[in-house]
């Protein structure tokens, strides 16, 4: 069983930065994959956008919309912090952290269905 707890987010002006943190209890780095995803405001039930995925071997893939602007860090093997820099209004949305076991070589956009999800954090970027 994995419990995903996330924090951070909020409202900022375009060009500023935000940090979102995620901890997946019961998820050791080896064999566990984690990622950050978002759902744009107003798109309830819509498809997710994959921002970054770290697979069970530690390989990292980034979504094109955030590559070069967002970074990740890990305080411990079961954490995944997202540093969102140079934010744009189109980055507005609900951000989710997810984790799972036995993921294999998952990458962004592959449609992998993660079993464990955080509660979501709203990020609002104003122009």
């Amino acid at each position: 069983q994995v419990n995903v707890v996330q924090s951070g987010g909020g409202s900022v002006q375009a060009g500023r930065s935000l940090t979102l943190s995620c901890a997946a209890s019961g998820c050791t780095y080896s064999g566990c994959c984690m990622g950050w995803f978002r759902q744009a405001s107003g798109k309830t039930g819509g498809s997710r956008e994959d921002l970054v995925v770290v697979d069970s071997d530690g390989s990292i893939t980034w979504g094109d919309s955030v590559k070069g602007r967002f970074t990740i860090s890990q305080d411990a093997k079961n954490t995944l912090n997202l540093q969102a820099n140079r934010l744009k209004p189109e980055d507005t949305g609900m951000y989710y952290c997810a984790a799972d076991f036995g993921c294999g070589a998952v990458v962004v956009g592959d449609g992998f269905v993660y079993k464990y999800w955080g509660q979501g954090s709203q990020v609002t970027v104003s122009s």
Side-chain angles (χ1 to χ4, degrees):
Q1 182 69 28
V2 176
N3 185 34
V4 180
V5 178
Q6 58 182 97
S7 62
S11 298
V12 294
Q13 290 187 318
R16 299 289 186 131
S17 299
L18 278 175
T19 301
L20 296 97
S21 300
C22 175
S25 63
C27 187
T28 58
Y29 187 76
S30 58
C32 186
C33 60
M34 296 181 70
W36 280 99
F37 309 86
R38 74 183 174 199
Q39 191 170 48
S41 298
K43 291 187 178 181
T44 55
S47 59
R48 78 187 189 210
E49 179 183 4
D50 296 9
L51 303 181
V52 60
V53 167
V54 182
D55 75 8
S56 54
D57 290 330
S59 296
I60 303 167
T61 55
W62 287 95
D64 289 340
S65 65
V66 300
K67 189 183 300 182
R69 295 191 298 123
F70 290 16
T71 62
I72 56 171
S73 64
Q74 291 183 279
D75 303 320
K77 291 182 177 180
N78 65 332
T79 65
L80 187 64
N81 305 315
L82 181 69
Q83 177 71 30
N85 302 311
R86 304 199 306 275
L87 283 160
K88 305 175 182 180
E90 51 264 44
D91 292 318
T92 294
M94 189 66 77
Y95 284 62
Y96 295 92
C97 179
D100 208 336
F101 292 106
C103 314
V106 290
V107 297
V108 294
D110 64 358
F112 181 81
V113 180
Y114 293 81
K115 187 174 182 179
Y116 306 102
W117 290 83
Q119 75 274 23
S121 300
Q122 178 66 38
V123 172
T124 302
V125 185
S126 58
S127 57

